[in-house]
Amino acid sequence: MSISMSSASLPVFQSMLGNLDHFLVKAAAHAAAKKFDPANLLAARLAPDMLPFTRQVLIACDASKLGVARLSGVEAPKFEDTETTIEQLRERIAKTLAYFDRVPADKLDGTEDKDITFPVGRDGTTRTMKGEAYLKHWVFPNFFFHVTTAYALLRHNGVELGKTDYLLGSKA
């Protein structure tokens, strides 16, 4: 029995964005307990040339919602990228999750062979892949890269997160 594109995508994005939200709850609690401004966490980077924590969260949201939008044809909401607090990042995740709730499964199902053309750089370069390959080999790796990087940035800065937090979030 094969799985559908909707069951292969939406629950994965919903679960992991929920876990990312859980990371943010723990980050806020850590900052409060240690008595420092949580904005310090939002600016954190693992390397000077890498995007800061805030951008990791924004890109995780965007990678998932734009992937679903391109596959389903259901227009994704546009966000302004003005988030500057943990609470605003949590709202961004909530808005992304609300979008997924509005995407009917039948708009995703059957898109395995749909041609998906998408930007791959800031210079206007595009790439075209079939829907299933796009989901499995572009959207998922990009999404997980940014969720994992957000996790690593918080861990690096002392937030008590473990593998169970990554895999189960608040259900841990």
Side-chain angles (χ1 to χ4, degrees), residues 6-128:
S6 62
S7 70
S9 59
L10 292 175
V12 173
F13 295 136
Q14 291 164 327
S15 175
M16 289 307 295
L17 287 177
N19 296 354
L20 183 58
D21 182 70
H22 171 71
F23 305 167
L24 291 167
V25 169
K26 289 189 94 169
H30 176 75
K34 299 292 183 180
K35 298 183 180 1
F36 69 83
D37 184 350
N40 292 322
L41 295 172
L42 303 183
R45 301 169 189 258
L46 291 175
D49 66 344
M50 111 185 271
L51 294 171
F53 177 82
T54 294
R55 292 293 302 159
Q56 303 302 326
V57 175
L58 301 183
I59 294 170
C61 290
D62 288 351
S64 57
K65 77 176 169 97
L66 293 173
V68 168
R70 289 180 184 120
L71 287 164
S72 70
V74 176
E75 187 174 350
K78 291 180 176 54
F79 302 139
E80 295 300 318
D81 295 347
T82 57
E83 292 81 0
T84 58
T85 67
I86 286 177
E87 190 53 43
Q88 289 172 346
L89 291 174
R90 293 188 69 211
E91 289 170 16
R92 173 71 165 256
I93 292 169
K95 290 188 295 188
T96 304
L97 291 170
Y99 165 67
F100 295 145
D101 289 340
R102 295 190 305 271
V103 177
D106 66 347
K107 294 288 189 179
L108 283 162
D109 295 340
T111 61
E112 295 85 350
D113 292 321
K114 177 181 178 181
D115 284 331
I116 307 294
T117 300
F118 56 98
V120 294
R122 296 173 193 228
D123 64 356
T125 303
T126 61
R127 182 170 185 182
T128 301

